[in-house]
Amino acid sequence: MIYKSIADRLRIQLNSADYNIGSPLPSEVKLANEFDVSRMTVRKAIDLLVNWGLVVRRHGSGTYVVKKDVHQETMNLTGLVEVMREQGKEVVSEVLEFNVMPAPPAIACQLRIKIDEQIYYSRRVRYVDGKSLMVEDSYMPLKFFRNLSVAHLEGSKFSYIEDECQIIVCGNYESLTPVLADRQMAKLLNIDELTPILRITSLSYSDSGDYVNYSVMFRNASEYQVDYHLRRVHV
């Protein structure tokens, strides 16, 4: 359905930094020209946005953004649960796998530990307000977290590391790559196969210089926006 595809593209646009709450959408005529479709197709696409609660039509005025999907502005390192709670959203983490395993060479290299050293491996699906937002594969050295459990992973991992283990996370390295969802990832994220998603690798380190967590995350790009506010340091 063409109008569904256009609605998805509009959804991504209005979740970008180009739109704020209260911003007007372009006219139906302009959107029809932009997407090279009829006004009726555009109208049906906007109907979907209205049904999703993202925009509202105002008679004689136009269509306006009233809500965005999950949004995060990054100035400091914060966990997903912390960010979403600040926005009044509910985060639920479903742990699909959790076990202790010997670190394979690639993971040992990331965590700066010995090959075959014991690590925790976990796979979680993170839901925000009932929508599957992210699949996270996580690797943590067992020597730092002797009592890590499924219950901890169902909550905030940052809270467990800092509050219970008294390890201060002071930095994080991230790498972002666009990829297409394979069959398994599409099923977990409840999206169509080959939908563009974001692959993020994250390596967290403590104030003592130890690498305490390496994660590979797959995020539903249409449901999640991150704005980075980076400051330039002048020496």
Side-chain angles (χ1 to χ4, degrees):
M1 294 179 287
I2 296 176
Y3 74 91
K4 175 64 164 59
S5 174
I6 292 173
D8 287 334
R9 292 165 67 182
L10 285 172
R11 185 178 196 163
I12 293 173
Q13 287 182 19
L14 67 86
N15 273 302
S16 72
D18 294 332
Y19 287 87
N20 296 313
I21 303 299
S23 294
L25 263 63
S27 68
E28 289 182 359
V29 172
K30 187 173 182 179
L31 289 173
N33 290 333
E34 178 183 343
F35 293 112
D36 194 24
V37 296
S38 68
R39 286 185 63 183
M40 181 60 68
T41 300
V42 167
R43 190 168 299 133
K44 290 176 70 175
I46 293 177
D47 285 342
L48 279 181
L49 297 180
V50 172
N51 292 338
W52 293 337
L54 301 177
V55 303
V56 64
R57 286 190 174 96
R58 293 175 183 162
H59 184 68
S61 177
T63 305
Y64 296 85
V65 178
V66 293
K67 177 184 173 184
K68 288 196 174 195
D69 290 317
V70 178
H71 175 274
Q72 175 182 351
E73 179 175 356
T74 297
M75 294 176 61
N76 301 303
L77 178 59
T78 50
L80 179 69
V81 172
E82 296 168 298
V83 173
M84 293 302 104
R85 280 177 179 166
E86 289 179 359
Q87 298 182 23
K89 297 180 181 292
E90 180 187 22
V91 179
V92 174
S93 298
E94 179 185 6
V95 180
L96 302 182
E97 294 183 53
F98 177 61
N99 54 63
V100 175
M101 60 180 284
I107 302 302
C109 180
Q110 292 288 345
L111 291 171
R112 279 58 165 184
I113 60 177
K114 295 178 181 179
I115 296 174
D116 290 336
E117 185 172 325
Q118 295 292 287
I119 61 172
Y120 292 104
Y121 165 71
S122 63
R123 165 166 281 194
R124 303 189 291 177
V125 181
R126 319 294 301 279
Y127 298 89
V128 175
D129 286 350
K131 296 179 181 179
S132 49
L133 174 70
M134 177 171 65
V135 176
E136 178 190 29
D137 291 330
S138 183
Y139 307 87
M140 303 169 66
L142 186 144
K143 62 185 178 184
F144 298 131
F145 311 107
R146 296 293 180 179
N147 67 337
L148 180 64
S149 67
V150 170
H152 293 124
L153 294 171
E154 289 174 340
S156 167
K157 191 164 57 180
F158 269 96
S159 178
Y160 165 73
I161 292 173
E162 296 191 321
D163 298 339
E164 188 166 331
C165 300
Q166 299 296 302
I167 296 174
I168 299 174
V169 178
C170 65
N172 194 62
Y173 297 105
E174 282 194 357
S175 175
L176 293 78
T177 307
V179 297
L180 299 178
D182 60 19
R183 182 177 301 177
Q184 181 187 33
M185 203 54 60
K187 183 178 181 180
L188 290 173
L189 290 173
N190 195 27
I191 56 177
D192 293 332
E193 194 173 345
L194 301 182
T195 296
I197 58 176
L198 205 56
R199 180 184 186 272
I200 305 172
T201 61
S202 173
L203 180 64
S204 302
Y205 58 92
S206 69
D207 59 348
S208 61
D210 295 309
Y211 291 89
V212 295
N213 179 78
Y214 176 65
S215 291
V216 180
M217 297 167 282
F218 296 90
R219 282 182 181 163
N220 186 343
S222 66
E223 296 284 356
Y224 191 82
Q225 175 192 343
V226 180
D227 292 335
Y228 284 92
H229 178 188
L230 305 177
R231 299 181 183 276
R232 181 174 174 84
V233 177
H234 295 273
V235 179

